[in-house]
Amino acid sequence: MASTETEDPATTPDGGGTAAATTAAAPAGGDTTGDLAGLEAGLDALESRVVDRQPWLRAAAAKALPPVVAVVIVLGLWQLAYHFELKPHYLLPSPVDVFGSLRQKWLEGTLLSFVWTSVSRGALGFVASVAIGTVLGLIVAQVKVVRAAIGPILSGLQSLPSVAWVPAAIIWFGLSDATIYAVVLLGAVPSIANGLVAGVDQISPLSLRAGRTIGATGLAGVRHVLLPAALPGYIAGLKQGWAFSWRSLMAAELIVNAPDLGTGLGQLLEQGRELQDMSWVLAAILLILIVGIGIELLIFAPIERRVLRSRGLLVKG
């Protein structure tokens, strides 16, 4: 279409006509990359604007209703399985029995202490994993030799089940908190580092060059250019790192059990197994699931939405 709007050079009074024709004819030639990039950026900017915002009550109901319906269906199927005795009742208690077990722990005043013990361990181990994983990810992303040497190892460690580290950690540190934190670190650090490396790989070279041009090099470049530009991939790595951290913690608490360590959710689960109390076991599993999903929804999901929306990568939500 650009060629149809090109003015005939013969009708122009001076050399400006030639320049105008050259400018107008350029999109029809080989240099269309800049125009396409501009068009794409413009479309992204248009899509990033939320035109109509729903009332918060309707938006909250729209988000809450599907998971509530899913939970009701699961509880209904569970109750049916209990009613028709697919397994003996001592192996498959009803939802009411499991919630009764939770209520008993609550009335005993021990439920919150179990949750807090695990959450505080998970949070401390995750913060340490973020510190180590961020530095490691930056080094792997920026130093080619290091990347060639340990990049594949980091990817391999990500697929290694965390429970495999527990026996080695017990031998190294005995039945102590150090064993639990070591398993958490070994589970979460590779995910965080790999997420940051993936985020750095997606940065446009033009952004890095622009940062160097204005003097953002070294730590200033990392703080003001590299980390902000890699933020979407980094946030994804943090989410995955938390998931690995929580799983690793539960694996460690299941096996590392000593009176002076306190009782977390994993140890509560193991106590239920030792007592052959299936209601207790399922109640502990339910608590582990609720805490994991709650932290994901309350902390990481809002941060991720905010980052993606600020980059024009999320239309609504």
Side-chain angles (χ1 to χ4, degrees):
M1 290 179 67
S3 60
T4 62
E5 299 172 3
T6 304
E7 191 178 358
D8 186 357
T11 63
T12 55
D14 51 27
T18 305
T22 304
T23 305
D31 187 21
T32 59
T33 307
D35 293 329
L36 291 176
L39 177 63
E40 185 179 354
L43 290 174
D44 286 342
L46 287 174
E47 290 177 352
S48 65
R49 296 190 185 106
V50 179
V51 178
D52 295 323
R53 232 177 229 289
Q54 290 184 339
W56 68 269
L57 190 58
R58 186 183 299 175
K63 288 182 180 177
L65 193 58
V68 168
V69 171
V71 169
V72 170
I73 291 174
V74 170
L75 290 178
L77 293 175
W78 181 358
Q79 182 62 39
L80 284 175
Y82 173 81
H83 178 75
F84 290 108
E85 206 166 348
L86 293 183
K87 287 282 186 182
H89 287 169
Y90 72 91
L91 291 179
L92 181 62
S94 70
V96 175
D97 295 333
V98 173
F99 286 108
S101 183
L102 280 176
R103 182 173 177 274
Q104 181 187 350
K105 296 295 178 190
W106 174 264
L107 294 177
E108 290 173 357
T110 55
L111 190 63
L112 290 182
S113 68
F114 299 149
V115 174
W116 171 247
T117 299
S118 289
V119 170
S120 59
R121 280 175 180 160
L124 185 58
F126 178 69
V127 169
S129 301
V130 170
I132 298 172
T134 301
V135 174
L136 184 61
L138 287 173
I139 294 173
V140 171
Q142 294 292 89
V143 184
K144 290 183 179 178
V145 176
V146 176
R147 184 171 191 151
I150 67 172
I153 298 175
L154 275 180
S155 300
L157 286 175
Q158 206 171 349
S159 61
L160 185 67
S162 303
V163 70
W165 288 111
V166 177
I170 291 176
I171 293 173
W172 290 332
F173 303 108
L175 297 177
S176 65
D177 278 328
T179 298
I180 296 176
Y181 289 123
V183 175
V184 172
L185 287 173
L186 290 167
V189 166
S191 299
I192 296 171
N194 279 327
L196 182 53
V197 171
V200 171
D201 288 346
Q202 294 170 2
I203 299 176
S204 166
L206 188 61
S207 300
L208 298 176
R209 203 176 305 132
R212 286 194 294 269
T213 302
I214 62 175
T217 57
L219 289 178
V222 169
R223 180 184 173 189
H224 297 292
V225 178
L226 207 61
L227 283 179
L231 206 51
Y234 186 40
I235 295 292
L238 291 180
K239 279 180 61 179
Q240 197 172 28
W242 165 255
F244 274 87
S245 173
W246 188 242
R247 289 184 216 168
S248 305
L249 176 64
M250 292 302 110
E253 285 187 346
L254 268 173
I255 299 174
V256 182
N257 205 336
D260 55 344
L261 291 180
T263 304
L265 293 175
Q267 286 139 347
L268 180 69
L269 181 61
E270 176 62 12
Q271 289 176 6
R273 185 198 65 79
E274 290 173 352
L275 295 173
Q276 295 289 301
D277 187 334
M278 200 60 190
S279 296
W280 189 333
V281 169
L282 291 178
I285 293 174
L286 193 61
L287 281 176
I288 293 169
L289 187 64
I290 290 173
V291 172
I293 293 175
I295 290 179
E296 157 72 24
L297 292 180
L298 295 177
I299 297 178
F300 291 103
I303 293 175
E304 186 178 36
R305 278 200 303 271
R306 185 171 181 177
V307 170
L308 293 180
R309 193 178 294 122
S310 68
R311 306 294 173 94
L313 300 173
L314 192 66
V315 177
K316 59 184 180 179

